[in-house]
Coordinates of all heavy atoms in Angstrom, one line a residue:
A196 N 33.9 -85.7 -27.9 CA 32.6 -85.0 -28.1 C 32.6 -83.8 -27.4 O 33.4 -83.6 -26.4 CB 31.5 -86.0 -27.4
E197 N 31.8 -82.8 -27.8 CA 31.8 -81.5 -27.2 C 30.3 -81.0 -27.3 O 29.6 -81.2 -28.2 CB 32.7 -80.6 -28.0 CG 32.6 -79.2 -27.5 CD 33.5 -78.2 -28.3 OE1 34.7 -78.6 -28.6 OE2 33.1 -77.2 -28.8
C198 N 29.9 -80.3 -26.2 CA 28.6 -79.7 -26.1 C 28.8 -78.3 -25.6 O 29.3 -78.1 -24.5 CB 27.7 -80.6 -25.3 SG 25.9 -79.8 -25.1
S199 N 28.3 -77.3 -26.4 CA 28.4 -75.9 -25.9 C 27.0 -75.3 -25.8 O 26.1 -75.7 -26.5 CB 29.3 -75.1 -27.0 OG 30.5 -75.7 -27.1
W200 N 27.0 -74.3 -24.9 CA 25.8 -73.6 -24.7 C 26.1 -72.1 -24.5 O 26.9 -71.7 -23.6 CB 25.2 -74.1 -23.4 CG 23.9 -73.5 -23.0 CD1 22.8 -73.0 -23.8 CD2 23.5 -73.2 -21.6 NE1 21.9 -72.5 -23.1 CE2 22.2 -72.6 -21.6 CE3 24.0 -73.5 -20.3 CZ2 21.5 -72.2 -20.6 CZ3 23.3 -73.0 -19.3 CH2 22.1 -72.5 -19.3
N201 N 25.5 -71.2 -25.3 CA 25.6 -69.8 -25.2 C 24.5 -69.4 -24.3 O 23.4 -69.1 -24.8 CB 25.6 -69.1 -26.5 CG 26.7 -69.4 -27.4 OD1 27.9 -69.5 -27.0 ND2 26.5 -69.8 -28.7
F202 N 24.7 -69.3 -23.0 CA 23.6 -69.0 -22.1 C 23.3 -67.6 -21.9 O 22.2 -67.2 -21.4 CB 23.8 -69.7 -20.8 CG 25.1 -69.4 -20.0 CD1 25.0 -68.4 -19.0 CD2 26.3 -70.0 -20.3 CE1 26.2 -68.1 -18.3 CE2 27.4 -69.7 -19.6 CZ 27.4 -68.7 -18.7
R203 N 24.1 -66.7 -22.2 CA 23.9 -65.2 -22.1 C 24.7 -64.6 -23.3 O 25.7 -65.1 -23.7 CB 24.3 -64.6 -20.8 CG 23.6 -65.0 -19.6 CD 24.1 -64.5 -18.4 NE 23.4 -63.2 -18.2 CZ 23.7 -62.4 -17.2 NH1 24.5 -62.7 -16.2 NH2 23.0 -61.2 -17.1
P204 N 24.4 -63.4 -23.7 CA 25.2 -62.7 -24.7 C 26.7 -62.6 -24.2 O 26.9 -62.1 -23.1 CB 24.6 -61.3 -25.0 CG 23.1 -61.6 -24.5 CD 23.2 -62.6 -23.4
G205 N 27.6 -63.1 -25.0 CA 29.0 -63.0 -24.6 C 29.5 -64.1 -23.7 O 30.7 -64.2 -23.5
W206 N 28.6 -65.0 -23.2 CA 29.1 -66.1 -22.4 C 28.9 -67.4 -23.0 O 27.8 -67.7 -23.7 CB 28.3 -66.0 -21.1 CG 28.7 -64.9 -20.1 CD1 28.2 -63.7 -20.1 CD2 29.7 -65.0 -19.1 NE1 28.8 -62.9 -19.1 CE2 29.7 -63.8 -18.5 CE3 30.5 -66.0 -18.7 CZ2 30.6 -63.5 -17.5 CZ3 31.3 -65.7 -17.6 CH2 31.4 -64.5 -17.0
K207 N 29.7 -68.3 -22.8 CA 29.7 -69.7 -23.4 C 30.3 -70.7 -22.4 O 31.3 -70.4 -21.9 CB 30.4 -69.7 -24.8 CG 30.4 -71.0 -25.4 CD 31.2 -70.9 -26.8 CE 31.3 -72.2 -27.6 NZ 32.1 -72.0 -28.8
A208 N 29.5 -71.8 -22.2 CA 30.0 -72.9 -21.5 C 30.1 -74.2 -22.4 O 29.3 -74.4 -23.2 CB 29.1 -73.2 -20.4
T209 N 31.2 -74.9 -22.2 CA 31.5 -76.1 -23.1 C 31.9 -77.2 -22.2 O 32.7 -77.1 -21.3 CB 32.6 -75.8 -24.1 OG1 32.2 -74.6 -24.8 CG2 32.8 -76.9 -25.1
G210 N 31.3 -78.4 -22.4 CA 31.8 -79.6 -21.8 C 32.4 -80.5 -22.9 O 31.9 -80.5 -24.0
K211 N 33.4 -81.1 -22.5 CA 34.2 -82.0 -23.5 C 34.5 -83.4 -22.9 O 34.8 -83.4 -21.7 CB 35.5 -81.3 -23.8 CG 35.3 -80.0 -24.6 CD 36.6 -79.3 -25.0 CE 36.4 -78.0 -25.7 NZ 37.6 -77.6 -26.5
V212 N 34.5 -84.3 -23.7 CA 35.0 -85.7 -23.3 C 35.8 -86.2 -24.6 O 35.4 -86.1 -25.7 CB 33.9 -86.6 -22.9 CG1 32.9 -86.9 -24.0 CG2 34.4 -87.9 -22.3
S213 N 36.9 -87.0 -24.2 CA 37.7 -87.6 -25.3 C 38.2 -88.9 -24.8 O 38.5 -89.1 -23.6 CB 39.0 -86.7 -25.4 OG 39.9 -87.4 -26.2
Y214 N 38.0 -89.9 -25.7 CA 38.5 -91.3 -25.3 C 39.4 -91.7 -26.4 O 39.1 -91.8 -27.6 CB 37.2 -92.2 -25.3 CG 37.6 -93.7 -25.2 CD1 38.1 -94.2 -24.0 CD2 37.5 -94.6 -26.3 CE1 38.5 -95.5 -23.8 CE2 37.9 -95.9 -26.2 CZ 38.3 -96.4 -25.0 OH 38.7 -97.7 -24.8
D215 N 40.6 -92.1 -26.1 CA 41.6 -92.5 -27.0 C 42.1 -93.9 -26.6 O 42.5 -94.1 -25.4 CB 42.8 -91.6 -27.0 CG 42.4 -90.2 -27.6 OD1 41.8 -90.1 -28.7 OD2 42.8 -89.2 -27.1
C216 N 42.3 -94.8 -27.6 CA 42.9 -96.1 -27.2 C 43.6 -96.6 -28.4 O 43.3 -96.2 -29.6 CB 41.8 -97.1 -26.7 SG 40.7 -97.7 -28.1
N217 N 44.7 -97.4 -28.1 CA 45.4 -98.1 -29.1 C 45.8 -99.4 -28.5 O 46.7 -99.6 -27.8 CB 46.6 -97.4 -29.6 CG 47.4 -98.1 -30.6 OD1 47.1 -99.3 -31.0 ND2 48.4 -97.4 -31.2
L218 N 44.9 -100.4 -28.7 CA 45.1 -101.7 -28.0 C 45.5 -102.8 -29.1 O 45.5 -103.9 -28.8 CB 43.9 -102.2 -27.4 CG 43.3 -101.2 -26.3 CD1 42.0 -101.7 -25.7 CD2 44.3 -101.0 -25.1
G219 N 46.0 -102.2 -30.2 CA 46.4 -103.1 -31.3 C 47.7 -103.9 -31.0 O 48.5 -103.6 -30.1
V220 N 47.9 -105.0 -31.6 CA 49.1 -105.9 -31.3 C 49.9 -105.9 -32.6 O 49.5 -106.2 -33.7 CB 48.6 -107.3 -31.0 CG1 48.1 -107.4 -29.6 CG2 47.6 -107.8 -32.0
N221 N 51.2 -105.5 -32.3 CA 52.3 -105.6 -33.4 C 51.9 -104.8 -34.6 O 52.2 -105.3 -35.7 CB 52.6 -107.0 -33.6 CG 53.2 -107.7 -32.4 OD1 53.8 -107.1 -31.6 ND2 52.9 -109.0 -32.2
R222 N 51.3 -103.8 -34.6 CA 51.0 -102.9 -35.8 C 52.2 -102.0 -36.0 O 52.7 -101.4 -35.0 CB 49.7 -102.2 -35.7 CG 48.5 -103.1 -35.7 CD 47.3 -102.3 -36.0 NE 46.2 -103.3 -36.1 CZ 45.0 -103.0 -36.3 NH1 44.7 -101.7 -36.3 NH2 44.1 -103.9 -36.4
T223 N 52.6 -101.8 -37.2 CA 53.7 -100.9 -37.5 C 53.3 -99.5 -37.9 O 54.1 -98.6 -38.2 CB 54.6 -101.5 -38.6 OG1 53.9 -101.8 -39.7 CG2 55.3 -102.8 -38.0
A224 N 52.0 -99.3 -38.2 CA 51.5 -98.0 -38.7 C 51.6 -97.0 -37.6 O 51.5 -97.3 -36.4 CB 50.0 -98.1 -39.0
A225 N 51.9 -95.7 -38.1 CA 52.1 -94.7 -37.1 C 50.8 -94.3 -36.5 O 49.7 -94.4 -37.1 CB 52.7 -93.4 -37.8
S226 N 50.8 -93.9 -35.2 CA 49.6 -93.6 -34.5 C 49.9 -92.5 -33.5 O 51.0 -92.4 -33.0 CB 49.1 -94.9 -33.7 OG 48.0 -94.5 -33.0
E227 N 48.8 -91.7 -33.3 CA 48.9 -90.6 -32.4 C 48.9 -91.0 -31.0 O 49.3 -90.4 -30.0 CB 47.8 -89.5 -32.6 CG 47.8 -89.0 -33.9 CD 49.0 -88.0 -34.1 OE1 49.4 -87.3 -33.1 OE2 49.5 -87.9 -35.3
V228 N 48.3 -92.3 -30.7 CA 48.2 -92.8 -29.4 C 49.1 -94.0 -29.3 O 49.1 -94.9 -30.1 CB 46.7 -93.2 -29.2 CG1 46.5 -93.8 -27.8 CG2 45.8 -92.1 -29.4
A229 N 49.9 -93.9 -28.3 CA 50.9 -95.1 -28.0 C 50.3 -96.4 -27.9 O 49.2 -96.5 -27.2 CB 51.9 -94.8 -26.9
R230 N 50.8 -97.5 -28.4 CA 50.3 -98.8 -28.2 C 50.2 -99.2 -26.8 O 51.1 -98.9 -26.0 CB 51.2 -99.8 -29.0 CG 50.6 -101.3 -28.9 CD 51.5 -102.2 -29.7 NE 51.8 -101.7 -31.1 CZ 53.0 -101.8 -31.7 NH1 54.0 -102.2 -30.9 NH2 53.1 -101.4 -32.9
G231 N 49.0 -99.8 -26.4 CA 48.8 -100.1 -25.0 C 48.1 -99.0 -24.2 O 47.8 -99.2 -23.1
S232 N 47.7 -97.9 -24.9 CA 47.1 -96.8 -24.1 C 45.6 -96.9 -24.3 O 45.0 -97.3 -25.2 CB 47.6 -95.5 -24.7 OG 48.9 -95.2 -24.6
E233 N 45.0 -96.4 -23.2 CA 43.5 -96.4 -23.2 C 43.2 -95.3 -22.1 O 43.2 -95.5 -21.0 CB 42.8 -97.7 -22.8 CG 41.3 -97.6 -22.9 CD 40.6 -99.0 -22.7 OE1 41.3 -99.9 -22.1 OE2 39.5 -99.1 -23.0
I234 N 42.9 -94.1 -22.6 CA 42.7 -92.9 -21.7 C 41.5 -92.1 -22.0 O 41.2 -92.0 -23.2 CB 44.0 -92.1 -21.7 CG1 44.0 -91.0 -20.6 CG2 44.2 -91.4 -23.1 CD1 45.4 -90.4 -20.2
T235 N 40.8 -91.7 -21.0 CA 39.6 -90.8 -21.1 C 39.9 -89.4 -20.5 O 40.6 -89.3 -19.4 CB 38.4 -91.5 -20.4 OG1 38.2 -92.7 -21.0 CG2 37.1 -90.6 -20.6
I236 N 39.5 -88.4 -21.1 CA 39.8 -87.0 -20.7 C 38.3 -86.4 -20.6 O 37.7 -86.3 -21.6 CB 40.7 -86.2 -21.5 CG1 42.1 -86.9 -21.5 CG2 40.9 -84.8 -21.0 CD1 43.0 -86.3 -22.6
V237 N 38.0 -85.8 -19.5 CA 36.8 -85.0 -19.4 C 37.1 -83.6 -18.9 O 38.1 -83.4 -18.2 CB 35.7 -85.7 -18.4 CG1 35.2 -87.0 -19.0 CG2 36.3 -85.9 -17.0
G238 N 36.3 -82.6 -19.3 CA 36.6 -81.3 -18.9 C 35.5 -80.3 -19.2 O 34.5 -80.6 -19.9
A239 N 35.7 -79.0 -18.8 CA 34.7 -78.0 -19.0 C 35.5 -76.6 -19.3 O 36.6 -76.5 -18.7 CB 33.8 -77.7 -17.9
V240 N 35.0 -75.8 -20.1 CA 35.5 -74.5 -20.4 C 34.4 -73.4 -20.3 O 33.3 -73.7 -20.7 CB 36.1 -74.5 -21.8 CG1 36.7 -73.1 -22.2 CG2 37.2 -75.6 -22.0
A241 N 34.8 -72.3 -19.7 CA 33.9 -71.1 -19.7 C 34.6 -70.0 -20.4 O 35.8 -69.8 -20.2 CB 33.6 -70.7 -18.2
E242 N 33.8 -69.3 -21.3 CA 34.4 -68.2 -22.0 C 33.5 -66.9 -21.9 O 32.3 -67.1 -21.8 CB 34.4 -68.5 -23.5 CG 35.2 -69.7 -23.9 CD 35.1 -70.1 -25.4 OE1 34.7 -69.1 -26.2 OE2 35.5 -71.1 -25.8
W243 N 34.2 -65.8 -21.8 CA 33.4 -64.6 -21.8 C 34.1 -63.6 -22.8 O 35.3 -63.4 -22.9 CB 33.6 -64.0 -20.4 CG 32.9 -62.6 -20.2 CD1 31.7 -62.3 -20.7 CD2 33.5 -61.5 -19.5 NE1 31.5 -61.0 -20.3 CE2 32.5 -60.4 -19.6 CE3 34.7 -61.2 -18.8 CZ2 32.7 -59.2 -19.0 CZ3 34.9 -60.0 -18.3 CH2 33.9 -59.0 -18.4
N244 N 33.1 -63.0 -23.6 CA 33.6 -62.0 -24.6 C 33.2 -60.6 -24.2 O 32.0 -60.2 -24.7 CB 33.0 -62.4 -26.0 CG 33.6 -63.6 -26.5 OD1 34.7 -63.7 -27.0 ND2 32.9 -64.8 -26.4
P245 N 33.9 -59.8 -23.4 CA 33.4 -58.6 -23.0 C 33.5 -57.5 -24.0 O 32.8 -56.5 -23.9 CB 34.4 -58.2 -21.8 CG 35.6 -58.9 -22.1 CD 35.2 -60.3 -22.8
L246 N 34.3 -57.7 -25.0 CA 34.4 -56.7 -26.1 C 34.3 -57.4 -27.5 O 35.1 -58.3 -27.8 CB 35.9 -56.0 -26.0 CG 36.3 -55.1 -27.1 CD1 35.4 -53.9 -27.1 CD2 37.7 -54.7 -27.0
R247 N 33.4 -57.0 -28.3 CA 33.1 -57.6 -29.6 C 32.7 -56.4 -30.5 O 31.5 -56.0 -30.5 CB 32.1 -58.7 -29.5 CG 32.0 -59.5 -30.9 CD 31.1 -60.6 -30.6 NE 31.9 -61.7 -30.1 CZ 32.0 -62.8 -30.6 NH1 31.3 -63.2 -31.7 NH2 32.8 -63.8 -30.2
T248 N 33.6 -55.9 -31.3 CA 33.3 -54.9 -32.2 C 33.8 -55.4 -33.6 O 34.4 -56.5 -33.7 CB 34.0 -53.6 -31.9 OG1 35.5 -53.8 -32.0 CG2 33.7 -53.1 -30.6
A249 N 33.7 -54.6 -34.6 CA 34.0 -55.0 -36.0 C 35.6 -55.0 -36.1 O 36.1 -55.8 -36.9 CB 33.5 -54.0 -37.0
R250 N 36.3 -54.3 -35.3 CA 37.7 -54.3 -35.3 C 38.5 -55.0 -34.3 O 39.6 -55.4 -34.4 CB 38.2 -52.8 -35.3 CG 37.8 -52.0 -36.5 CD 38.3 -50.7 -36.4 NE 39.7 -50.5 -36.0 CZ 40.6 -50.1 -36.8 NH1 40.4 -49.7 -38.0 NH2 41.9 -50.1 -36.4
H251 N 37.7 -55.3 -33.2 CA 38.4 -56.0 -32.0 C 37.5 -57.0 -31.4 O 36.3 -56.9 -31.4 CB 38.8 -55.0 -30.9 CG 39.7 -53.9 -31.4 ND1 41.0 -54.0 -31.6 CD2 39.4 -52.6 -31.7 CE1 41.5 -52.9 -32.0 NE2 40.6 -52.0 -32.1
R252 N 38.1 -58.1 -30.9 CA 37.4 -59.1 -30.1 C 38.3 -59.4 -29.0 O 39.5 -59.7 -29.1 CB 37.1 -60.3 -30.9 CG 35.9 -60.1 -31.8 CD 35.5 -61.5 -32.4 NE 36.6 -62.4 -32.5 CZ 36.8 -63.2 -33.5 NH1 36.1 -63.1 -34.6 NH2 37.9 -64.0 -33.6
L253 N 37.8 -59.5 -27.7 CA 38.4 -59.9 -26.6 C 37.8 -61.0 -25.9 O 36.6 -61.0 -25.7 CB 38.6 -58.8 -25.5 CG 39.4 -59.0 -24.3 CD1 40.8 -59.1 -24.6 CD2 39.1 -57.8 -23.4
R254 N 38.6 -62.1 -25.7 CA 37.9 -63.3 -25.0 C 38.7 -63.7 -23.8 O 40.0 -63.9 -23.9 CB 37.9 -64.5 -26.1 CG 37.3 -65.7 -25.5 CD 37.4 -66.8 -26.4 NE 38.8 -67.3 -26.6 CZ 39.1 -68.5 -26.7 NH1 38.3 -69.5 -26.8 NH2 40.4 -68.7 -26.8
L255 N 38.1 -64.0 -22.7 CA 38.7 -64.5 -21.5 C 38.1 -65.9 -21.3 O 37.0 -66.1 -21.5 CB 38.5 -63.7 -20.3 CG 39.1 -62.3 -20.3 CD1 38.0 -61.3 -20.5 CD2 39.8 -62.0 -19.0
H256 N 39.0 -66.9 -21.0 CA 38.5 -68.2 -20.9 C 39.2 -68.9 -19.7 O 40.4 -68.7 -19.2 CB 38.7 -69.1 -22.1 CG 40.2 -69.4 -22.4 ND1 40.9 -68.5 -23.2 CD2 40.9 -70.4 -22.1 CE1 42.1 -69.0 -23.3 NE2 42.2 -70.1 -22.6
A257 N 38.5 -69.9 -19.1 CA 39.0 -70.8 -18.0 C 38.6 -72.2 -18.3 O 37.4 -72.4 -18.7 CB 38.6 -70.3 -16.7
G258 N 39.4 -73.2 -18.1 CA 39.1 -74.5 -18.4 C 39.8 -75.4 -17.4 O 40.8 -75.1 -16.8
C259 N 39.2 -76.6 -17.2 CA 39.7 -77.6 -16.4 C 39.5 -79.0 -16.9 O 38.3 -79.2 -17.5 CB 39.3 -77.5 -14.9 SG 37.6 -77.6 -14.6
F260 N 40.5 -79.9 -16.9 CA 40.3 -81.2 -17.5 C 40.9 -82.2 -16.5 O 41.8 -81.9 -15.7 CB 41.1 -81.3 -18.8 CG 40.5 -80.3 -19.8 CD1 41.0 -79.0 -19.9 CD2 39.5 -80.6 -20.7 CE1 40.5 -78.1 -20.8 CE2 39.0 -79.8 -21.6 CZ 39.5 -78.6 -21.7
Y261 N 40.3 -83.4 -16.6 CA 40.8 -84.5 -15.7 C 41.0 -85.8 -16.6 O 40.1 -86.1 -17.5 CB 39.8 -84.8 -14.6 CG 40.2 -85.9 -13.6 CD1 41.4 -85.7 -12.8 CD2 39.7 -87.2 -13.7 CE1 41.8 -86.8 -12.0 CE2 40.1 -88.2 -12.9 CZ 41.1 -88.0 -12.1 OH 41.5 -89.0 -11.2
S262 N 42.0 -86.6 -16.5 CA 42.3 -87.7 -17.3 C 42.4 -88.9 -16.4 O 42.9 -88.9 -15.3 CB 43.5 -87.6 -18.1 OG 44.6 -87.5 -17.3
F263 N 41.9 -90.0 -16.8 CA 42.0 -91.3 -16.1 C 42.1 -92.5 -17.2 O 41.7 -92.3 -18.4 CB 40.8 -91.6 -15.2 CG 39.4 -91.4 -15.9 CD1 38.8 -92.6 -16.4 CD2 38.8 -90.2 -16.0 CE1 37.6 -92.4 -17.0 CE2 37.6 -90.1 -16.5 CZ 37.0 -91.2 -17.1
G264 N 42.7 -93.5 -16.8 CA 43.0 -94.6 -17.7 C 44.5 -94.8 -17.7 O 45.2 -94.4 -16.7
K265 N 45.1 -95.4 -18.8 CA 46.5 -95.5 -18.9 C 47.1 -94.9 -20.2 O 46.4 -95.1 -21.2 CB 46.9 -97.0 -18.8 CG 46.3 -97.9 -19.9 CD 46.6 -99.3 -19.6 CE 45.9 -100.2 -20.6 NZ 46.0 -101.6 -20.3
N266 N 48.1 -94.2 -20.1 CA 48.8 -93.6 -21.2 C 50.2 -94.1 -21.2 O 51.0 -93.8 -20.3 CB 48.8 -92.1 -21.1 CG 49.2 -91.4 -22.4 OD1 49.8 -92.1 -23.2 ND2 49.1 -90.1 -22.5
K267 N 50.6 -94.9 -22.2 CA 51.9 -95.5 -22.3 C 53.0 -94.5 -22.8 O 54.2 -94.8 -22.6 CB 51.9 -96.7 -23.3 CG 51.0 -97.9 -22.8 CD 51.6 -98.5 -21.6 CE 50.9 -99.7 -21.1 NZ 51.4 -100.4 -20.1
N268 N 52.6 -93.4 -23.4 CA 53.6 -92.4 -23.7 C 53.8 -91.5 -22.5 O 53.0 -90.6 -22.2 CB 53.1 -91.5 -24.9 CG 54.1 -90.5 -25.3 OD1 55.2 -90.4 -24.7 ND2 53.8 -89.9 -26.4
K269 N 54.9 -91.7 -21.8 CA 55.2 -91.0 -20.6 C 55.5 -89.5 -20.7 O 55.5 -88.7 -19.8 CB 56.4 -91.6 -19.8 CG 56.1 -93.0 -19.4 CD 54.9 -93.2 -18.5 CE 54.6 -94.6 -18.2 NZ 53.3 -94.8 -17.5
E270 N 55.7 -89.0 -22.0 CA 56.0 -87.7 -22.3 C 54.7 -86.8 -22.5 O 54.8 -85.6 -22.5 CB 56.9 -87.5 -23.4 CG 58.3 -88.1 -23.2 CD 59.3 -87.9 -24.3 OE1 59.0 -87.1 -25.2 OE2 60.3 -88.6 -24.2
D271 N 53.6 -87.4 -22.6 CA 52.3 -86.7 -22.8 C 51.9 -86.0 -21.5 O 52.2 -86.6 -20.4 CB 51.2 -87.6 -23.2 CG 51.2 -87.9 -24.7 OD1 51.9 -87.3 -25.4 OD2 50.4 -88.8 -25.1
L272 N 51.3 -84.9 -21.6 CA 50.8 -84.2 -20.4 C 49.8 -84.9 -19.6 O 49.8 -85.1 -18.4 CB 50.2 -82.8 -20.9 CG 49.6 -82.0 -19.7 CD1 50.7 -81.5 -18.8 CD2 48.9 -80.8 -20.3
M273 N 48.8 -85.5 -20.3 CA 47.6 -86.1 -19.6 C 47.9 -87.5 -19.4 O 47.9 -88.4 -20.2 CB 46.4 -85.9 -20.5 CG 46.0 -84.5 -20.7 SD 45.8 -83.5 -19.2 CE 44.2 -83.9 -18.7
Q274 N 48.2 -87.8 -18.1 CA 48.6 -89.2 -17.7 C 47.4 -89.7 -16.8 O 46.4 -89.0 -16.6 CB 49.9 -89.2 -16.9 CG 51.1 -88.9 -17.8 CD 51.5 -89.9 -18.9 OE1 51.2 -91.1 -18.7 NE2 51.9 -89.5 -20.0
K275 N 47.6 -90.8 -16.2 CA 46.6 -91.4 -15.3 C 46.3 -90.4 -14.1 O 47.3 -89.9 -13.5 CB 47.0 -92.7 -14.8 CG 46.0 -93.3 -13.8 CD 46.5 -94.7 -13.4 CE 45.6 -95.4 -12.4 NZ 46.0 -96.7 -12.0
N276 N 45.1 -90.0 -13.8 CA 44.7 -89.2 -12.7 C 45.4 -87.9 -12.7 O 45.9 -87.4 -11.7 CB 45.0 -89.9 -11.4 CG 44.1 -91.2 -11.2 OD1 43.1 -91.3 -11.7 ND2 44.7 -92.2 -10.6
T277 N 45.4 -87.2 -13.8 CA 45.9 -85.9 -14.0 C 44.9 -84.8 -14.0 O 43.9 -85.0 -14.8 CB 46.8 -85.9 -15.3 OG1 47.8 -86.8 -15.3 CG2 47.5 -84.5 -15.5
F278 N 45.1 -83.7 -13.4 CA 44.1 -82.6 -13.4 C 44.9 -81.5 -14.0 O 46.1 -81.1 -13.7 CB 43.8 -82.2 -12.0 CG 42.9 -80.9 -12.0 CD1 41.5 -81.0 -12.3 CD2 43.4 -79.7 -11.6 CE1 40.7 -79.9 -12.3 CE2 42.6 -78.6 -11.6 CZ 41.2 -78.7 -11.9
Y279 N 44.3 -80.8 -15.0 CA 44.9 -79.7 -15.8 C 43.9 -78.5 -15.8 O 42.8 -78.7 -16.1 CB 45.2 -80.2 -17.1 CG 45.7 -79.1 -18.2 CD1 47.0 -78.7 -18.1 CD2 44.9 -78.6 -19.1 CE1 47.5 -77.7 -18.9 CE2 45.3 -77.6 -20.0 CZ 46.6 -77.2 -19.9 OH 47.0 -76.3 -20.7
A280 N 44.4 -77.3 -15.4 CA 43.6 -76.1 -15.4 C 44.3 -75.1 -16.3 O 45.6 -75.0 -16.4 CB 43.4 -75.6 -14.0
S281 N 43.5 -74.3 -17.0 CA 44.1 -73.3 -17.9 C 43.2 -72.0 -17.8 O 42.1 -72.0 -17.7 CB 44.0 -73.8 -19.3 OG 44.3 -72.7 -20.2
L282 N 44.0 -70.9 -17.7 CA 43.4 -69.5 -17.8 C 44.0 -68.8 -19.0 O 45.2 -68.9 -19.2 CB 43.6 -68.7 -16.6 CG 43.0 -69.2 -15.2 CD1 43.5 -68.4 -14.1 CD2 41.5 -69.1 -15.3
G283 N 43.2 -68.0 -19.7 CA 43.8 -67.4 -20.8 C 43.0 -66.2 -21.3 O 41.8 -66.0 -20.9
L284 N 43.6 -65.4 -22.1 CA 43.1 -64.1 -22.7 C 43.5 -64.1 -24.2 O 44.7 -64.3 -24.5 CB 43.7 -62.8 -22.0 CG 43.2 -61.6 -22.6 CD1 42.6 -60.7 -21.5 CD2 44.4 -60.9 -23.1
T285 N 42.5 -63.9 -25.1 CA 42.8 -63.8 -26.5 C 42.3 -62.5 -27.0 O 41.1 -62.2 -26.7 CB 42.1 -64.9 -27.2 OG1 42.5 -66.2 -26.7 CG2 42.5 -65.0 -28.7
W286 N 43.1 -61.7 -27.7 CA 42.7 -60.5 -28.2 C 42.9 -60.5 -29.7 O 44.0 -60.6 -30.2 CB 43.5 -59.4 -27.6 CG 43.1 -58.0 -28.0 CD1 42.1 -57.6 -28.7 CD2 43.8 -56.7 -27.7 NE1 42.1 -56.2 -28.9 CE2 43.2 -55.7 -28.3 CE3 45.0 -56.5 -27.1 CZ2 43.6 -54.4 -28.3 CZ3 45.5 -55.2 -27.0 CH2 44.8 -54.1 -27.6
H287 N 41.8 -60.4 -30.5 CA 41.9 -60.4 -31.9 C 41.8 -58.9 -32.4 O 40.9 -58.3 -32.1 CB 40.7 -61.2 -32.6 CG 40.8 -62.7 -32.3 ND1 41.4 -63.6 -33.1 CD2 40.2 -63.4 -31.3 CE1 41.3 -64.7 -32.6 NE2 40.6 -64.6 -31.5
M288 N 42.8 -58.5 -33.1 CA 42.8 -57.1 -33.6 C 42.9 -57.1 -35.1 O 43.7 -57.9 -35.7 CB 44.0 -56.4 -33.0 CG 44.1 -56.3 -31.5 SD 45.6 -55.5 -31.0 CE 46.8 -56.8 -31.3
D289 N 42.2 -56.3 -35.7 CA 42.3 -56.1 -37.2 C 43.1 -54.9 -37.5 O 42.5 -53.8 -37.5 CB 40.8 -56.0 -37.8 CG 40.8 -56.0 -39.3 OD1 42.0 -56.0 -39.9 OD2 39.8 -56.1 -39.9
L290 N 44.4 -55.1 -37.5 CA 45.3 -54.0 -37.8 C 45.3 -53.4 -39.2 O 45.7 -52.4 -39.4 CB 46.7 -54.4 -37.3 CG 46.9 -54.8 -35.9 CD1 48.3 -55.3 -35.7 CD2 46.6 -53.7 -35.0
F291 N 44.8 -54.2 -40.2 CA 44.9 -53.8 -41.5 C 43.6 -53.1 -42.1 O 43.6 -52.5 -43.1 CB 45.2 -55.0 -42.4 CG 46.5 -55.6 -42.1 CD1 46.6 -56.8 -41.4 CD2 47.6 -54.9 -42.4 CE1 47.8 -57.4 -41.1 CE2 48.9 -55.4 -42.1 CZ 49.0 -56.6 -41.5
R292 N 42.5 -53.1 -41.2 CA 41.4 -52.4 -41.6 C 41.5 -50.9 -41.3 O 41.6 -50.7 -40.1 CB 40.1 -53.0 -41.0 CG 38.9 -52.3 -41.4 CD 37.7 -52.8 -40.7 NE 37.2 -54.0 -41.3 CZ 36.2 -54.8 -40.8 NH1 35.6 -54.4 -39.7 NH2 35.9 -55.9 -41.3
I293 N 41.5 -50.1 -42.3 CA 41.5 -48.6 -42.0 C 40.2 -48.0 -42.0 O 39.5 -48.1 -43.0 CB 42.5 -48.0 -43.1 CG1 43.9 -48.5 -42.9 CG2 42.6 -46.5 -42.8 CD1 44.8 -48.1 -44.0
K294 N 39.8 -47.4 -41.0 CA 38.5 -46.7 -40.9 C 38.5 -45.5 -41.7 O 39.4 -44.7 -41.6 CB 38.2 -46.4 -39.4 CG 36.8 -46.0 -39.2 CD 36.5 -45.9 -37.7 CE 35.0 -45.6 -37.5 NZ 34.7 -45.5 -36.1
R295 N 37.6 -45.3 -42.6 CA 37.5 -44.1 -43.5 C 36.3 -43.3 -43.1 O 35.3 -43.7 -42.8 CB 37.5 -44.6 -44.9 CG 38.8 -45.3 -45.3 CD 38.6 -45.7 -46.7 NE 39.7 -46.6 -47.0 CZ 40.7 -46.4 -47.9 NH1 40.7 -45.3 -48.6 NH2 41.7 -47.2 -48.0

């Protein structure tokens, strides 16, 4: 689930929650979640768009997430009691639009 709020021009706050489980017994179908897993991830993201024109968009974002439960796939990033933070910058450029 996700809930977003544009609280000022160029600013956006988002809250997210994810619940994944695979408690099936002896199923052979492929699954994105390892058998025996039951994990919940909660987090928030803040975005700021300081530049928004017809040819360019610049976005800065920061997010943090926390997971709890059990994840049987030991190679996944989000394990029991894991905190994850992310900072980033995205620049969309329209290089093919020629101004006349």
Side-chain angles (χ1 to χ4, degrees):
E197 176 180 311
C198 182
S199 296
W200 179 38
N201 295 317
F202 60 95
R203 294 181 86 180
W206 285 90
K207 181 178 176 182
T209 304
K211 298 181 178 194
V212 64
S213 170
Y214 173 74
D215 293 313
C216 73
N217 183 352
L218 303 176
V220 284
N221 297 328
R222 291 194 174 174
T223 58
S226 175
E227 296 292 324
V228 181
R230 187 178 303 135
S232 295
E233 185 174 16
I234 192 160
T235 303
I236 303 170
V237 295
V240 177
E242 298 178 18
W243 178 44
N244 292 283
L246 174 64
R247 185 171 276 235
T248 67
R250 293 180 47 112
H251 303 285
R252 282 189 333 225
L253 181 67
R254 179 183 71 140
L255 294 109
H256 68 272
C259 58
F260 299 89
Y261 180 75
S262 65
F263 52 93
K265 59 184 173 187
N266 188 348
K267 294 293 184 173
N268 184 353
K269 299 298 180 195
E270 294 185 15
D271 278 351
L272 172 66
M273 299 308 277
Q274 296 293 325
K275 179 180 180 179
N276 299 326
T277 300
F278 178 78
Y279 173 77
S281 172
L282 293 173
L284 175 125
T285 306
W286 183 12
H287 295 272
M288 298 176 288
D289 190 352
L290 298 176
F291 296 107
R292 180 186 281 179
I293 299 172
K294 190 172 184 178
R295 294 177 193 243

